[in-house]
Amino acid sequence: MEHGHEIGSHSLAHFAGLTFNMDTLIMTWITMAIVIVLAIAATRRMELRPRGWQNFLEMAVMYLLEQMETNMGSKGQKLAPLIITLFLFLVVGNELGLIPGFTSPTNDINTTLGLALMIIVIVHVLAIKNKGFTKYIKHYFEPYIPFVVINIIEEVAKPITLSFRLFGNILAGEILLLVLGMLVPYFVPTLWLAFSVFVGIVQAFIFTMLSISYLSNSMQDGH
Amino acid sequence: MVELNGTLLAQIVNFLLLVAILAKFAYKPLMQILAERQKKIADAIDAAECERREAEQLKLEYKQQLVEARSKAQVIVENAEKLAEENKEEILKSARAESAYILQKAQEEVARERELALAQLRSEVVALSMAAATKIVTEKMDTELNARMVSDFIEKLDDQKIGGLPC
């Protein structure tokens, strides 16, 4: 069970004064490669009548676009590549860890917090761009000045909850899969594996939907 | 286990790289095909709507034509009935005229026959009278008186029995 040692502990690499979790990075690159291959395979010979993988991808993309349209309006279209990529990356990444010998890039807090912070930075940049700097700042002191504390806690909580939810679910899923595999082999781990597939999709979906929701808040002119 | 390091930054870079790659190679054709399909569907719906409206128009026209045809047929039947009625009247009239003519002809024939019979009768009567008169006259009177008597007799016969026919 050498696979068990990989979870939680990382093989480290040092570069330019920074430490990198090499296994996470490798799994990320594998995920990226799979996503790219799938996306290009789906869009290589695009047809008006979708077939096979194109159909599946289109379904997911259409759903995300629809969600963005209802939450953000037409302004959200510019963020569509980001959101779609986020969803595909998370789905593939979450499911990758279920394959023996692989781990999910999303079982590393660095990945999930990185993505969450990126989303939050975009949220704030868009908010400043849309509302103007003074209005953006004023927004934190509404409805009354003391609310600034609550508002800031809320803003800080956003990336933390976003990243820890995904990280926790995926890491716990993988750990439990291994533990169950050792305790009650075959049947129970298989059930848990099937459930983890579902969890992986759901968590990717939640992360994406919350990102859309946060982004849509900063897209609105009012407030 | 929960330990932040340079991976965080690397992951952001990785992800943005992935976004860039997908946006360039997959997103554009996907959006293009989606837009194309949307347009096609919209066109198809428009066309269907147009055709439906046309069909409705045609249906309306056909209905109208059917109503017209029905009323026309009605008129034709009515005309035919009227014509038949007229024909019947005409036939009856000509039949009546024919019968009247035949009747008249028959009456005329009868009258002529009667006249002929009367003429024959008269000549018979004259002969008989002449015979009778000759008998009487040979016994009692001369020939002059005899002729007058016969003539008188005939005159009387004409007035009373035959009705003024000249002899």
Side-chain angles (χ1 to χ4, degrees), chain A residues 16-107:
Chain A
L18 289 170
T19 312
F20 295 98
N21 299 338
M22 276 324 285
D23 50 339
T24 303
L25 284 182
I26 289 166
M27 288 304 152
T28 304
W29 292 329
I30 292 173
T31 304
M32 283 167 70
I34 293 172
V35 169
I36 290 167
V37 166
L38 287 180
I40 288 177
T43 54
R44 190 170 43 117
R45 275 202 300 268
M46 293 291 281
E47 288 170 32
L48 271 179
R49 282 162 212 257
R51 269 187 321 178
W53 176 239
Q54 184 193 339
N55 206 348
F56 180 79
L57 189 75
E58 261 184 29
M59 205 171 70
V61 168
M62 286 305 283
Y63 184 77
L64 289 174
L65 285 176
E66 205 175 288
Q67 289 299 322
M68 290 174 68
E69 181 76 33
T70 50
N71 278 306
M72 306 184 193
S74 56
K75 272 197 282 184
Q77 290 297 319
K78 265 187 254 172
L79 290 171
L82 181 90
I83 296 295
I84 293 165
T85 310
L86 184 65
F87 182 71
L88 291 177
F89 178 78
L90 288 177
V91 168
V92 173
N94 290 348
E95 306 300 347
L96 189 69
L98 301 176
I99 302 167
F102 291 87
T103 57
S104 291
T106 42
N107 80 355

Side-chain angles (χ1 to χ4, degrees), chain A residues 19 21 28 46 48 58 111, chain B residues 6-7 11 27 33 37 40:
Chain A
T19 312
N21 299 338
T28 304
M46 293 291 281
L48 271 179
E58 261 184 29
T111 308
Chain B
T7 318
Q11 292 297 63
Y27 184 71
I33 208 93
R37 184 176 319 139
K40 224 168 200 181

